[in-house]
Amino acid sequence: MKVPRLLTTAGLALALAISGVLAGCGSSTSSTSTSSTPATVAKAVENFTTTDALATDQQNVLVVDVRAFSAYSTGHIPGAIRNTVSLYSTTASATGSAGTLGLTQAEFVALADKLGITPSTKVVAYDTDNSSSVGRFVWTLLRYGHKNVAILDGGYQKWIAEGRAKATKANSTTPTANTISYTVTSTADIDVSASYVLSHINVPGTVIWDARTPLEYIGYDLRTNPRGDTSPMRSTSTGRISSIRTAPGPMC
């Protein structure tokens, strides 16, 4: 049986499209590219790791917390650094304004260098379990060829629920910046252009997946509405792409 290709409209692109279960509150607008070919779809297992695996191999992993400073200060996985770099490009383009698109290659290199990520670094990132920020972080690394990266399945909540150790603000870990800048040797075709999406609406074998929150999906939450519509009960035509699918998630 042929498996339908999945396209997402959020930065969670790869991981969320495969799992279909991580729609969350930290919504994002999809990065676009000029590519006219479908995005590569990977197996979900390649992009997730378990709390047991992290606990066993933690000394060989750079653990990245992508939550807000307040959450990190209250409690985080021991040794984890916090990402302080925006995952949204400050560069505008013909397909989107600054603050809505994925990082450019130069911006990615700056992120990697600040966090101390080298091409050989094994990275595990986590967030709260109902947020898409961690998916966008991992997607960004995958987009620029850093394949040795995974999402912590279950997030920080699962780590704590299992009675594992935590650190607080007093035990924060400061990233060790790269002394040699990260070199991008390959990129992954895991995003598509808006024109590609438009041409594949209602096309058999293609599923367009909306990874935003349910309130954004129905047009009530306007955080990602580029049209500036202020009516909370706006029509679905301004709330989502026609025929798009979503999954149940927290109404936050």
Side-chain angles (χ1 to χ4, degrees), residues 13-14 19 22 27 33-34 37 43 46 51 58 82 84 89 94 114-115 175 178 180 183 187 189 193 202 229 244 248:
L14 185 63
S19 66
L22 296 181
S27 179
S33 75
T34 57
T37 57
K43 296 179 181 178
E46 295 175 350
T51 49
Q58 195 169 352
R82 190 178 81 86
T84 59
S89 178
K114 184 171 183 177
L115 298 184
N178 290 343
I180 300 176
T183 300
T187 57
D189 183 23
S193 66
N202 294 320
D229 194 338
I244 201 168

Side-chain angles (χ1 to χ4, degrees), residues 46-61:
E46 295 175 350
N47 305 118
F48 288 85
T49 191
T50 66
T51 49
D52 285 340
L54 177 59
T56 300
D57 195 37
Q58 195 169 352
Q59 297 302 314
N60 300 312
V61 175

Side-chain angles (χ1 to χ4, degrees), residues 7-10 29-30 32 192-202 207-212 216-219 234-246:
L7 303 177
T8 77
T9 58
T29 301
S30 176
T32 58
V192 295
S193 66
S195 60
Y196 178 88
V197 174
L198 287 172
S199 66
H200 284 75
I201 293 175
N202 294 320
V207 175
I208 305 174
W209 195 275
D210 192 324
R212 301 173 303 161
E216 290 172 285
Y217 179 77
I218 64 176
R234 57 192 173 139
S235 67
T236 55
S237 64
T238 59
R240 62 181 183 268
I241 299 172
S242 174
S243 79
I244 201 168
R245 301 185 188 181
T246 189

Side-chain angles (χ1 to χ4, degrees), residues 90-115:
T90 59
T91 305
S93 74
T95 56
S97 59
T100 64
L101 301 180
L103 299 185
T104 63
Q105 182 168 313
E107 290 169 333
F108 162 73
V109 170
L111 177 148
D113 288 347
K114 184 171 183 177
L115 298 184

Side-chain angles (χ1 to χ4, degrees), residues 65-251:
D65 187 317
V66 298
R67 300 175 300 158
F69 177 73
S70 58
Y72 178 82
S73 299
T74 301
H76 57 269
I77 295 176
I81 62 172
R82 190 178 81 86
N83 175 47
T84 59
V85 180
S86 173
L87 299 175
Y88 299 89
S89 178
T90 59
T91 305
S93 74
T95 56
S97 59
T100 64
L101 301 180
L103 299 185
T104 63
Q105 182 168 313
E107 290 169 333
F108 162 73
V109 170
L111 177 148
D113 288 347
K114 184 171 183 177
L115 298 184
I117 299 173
T118 71
S120 62
T121 302
K122 183 177 182 180
V123 180
V124 171
Y126 71 89
D127 196 341
T128 50
D129 194 37
N130 63 349
S131 172
S132 65
S133 296
V134 67
R136 190 175 183 93
F137 179 87
V138 170
W139 176 82
T140 299
L141 268 64
L142 290 170
R143 189 184 190 205
Y144 289 108
H146 193 95
K147 298 179 180 179
N148 200 0
V149 58
I151 294 171
L152 180 63
D153 193 12
Y156 184 68
Q157 294 100 314
K158 187 173 189 294
W159 179 273
I160 292 301
E162 293 170 343
R164 301 184 189 275
K166 73 172 184 178
T168 60
K169 181 179 180 181
N171 307 109
S172 299
T173 301
T174 302
T176 302
N178 290 343
T179 55
I180 300 176
S181 192
Y182 190 105
T183 300
V184 175
T185 57
S186 65
T187 57
D189 183 23
I190 55 175
D191 59 341
V192 295
S193 66
S195 60
Y196 178 88
V197 174
L198 287 172
S199 66
H200 284 75
I201 293 175
N202 294 320
V203 172
T206 299
V207 175
I208 305 174
W209 195 275
D210 192 324
R212 301 173 303 161
T213 66
L215 290 181
E216 290 172 285
Y217 179 77
I218 64 176
Y220 189 90
D221 187 333
L222 309 181
R223 75 180 84 181
T224 57
N225 176 27
R227 299 174 60 155
D229 194 338
T230 57
S231 172
M233 299 306 293
R234 57 192 173 139
S235 67
T236 55
S237 64
T238 59
R240 62 181 183 268
I241 299 172
S242 174
S243 79
I244 201 168
R245 301 185 188 181
T246 189
M251 303 288 279

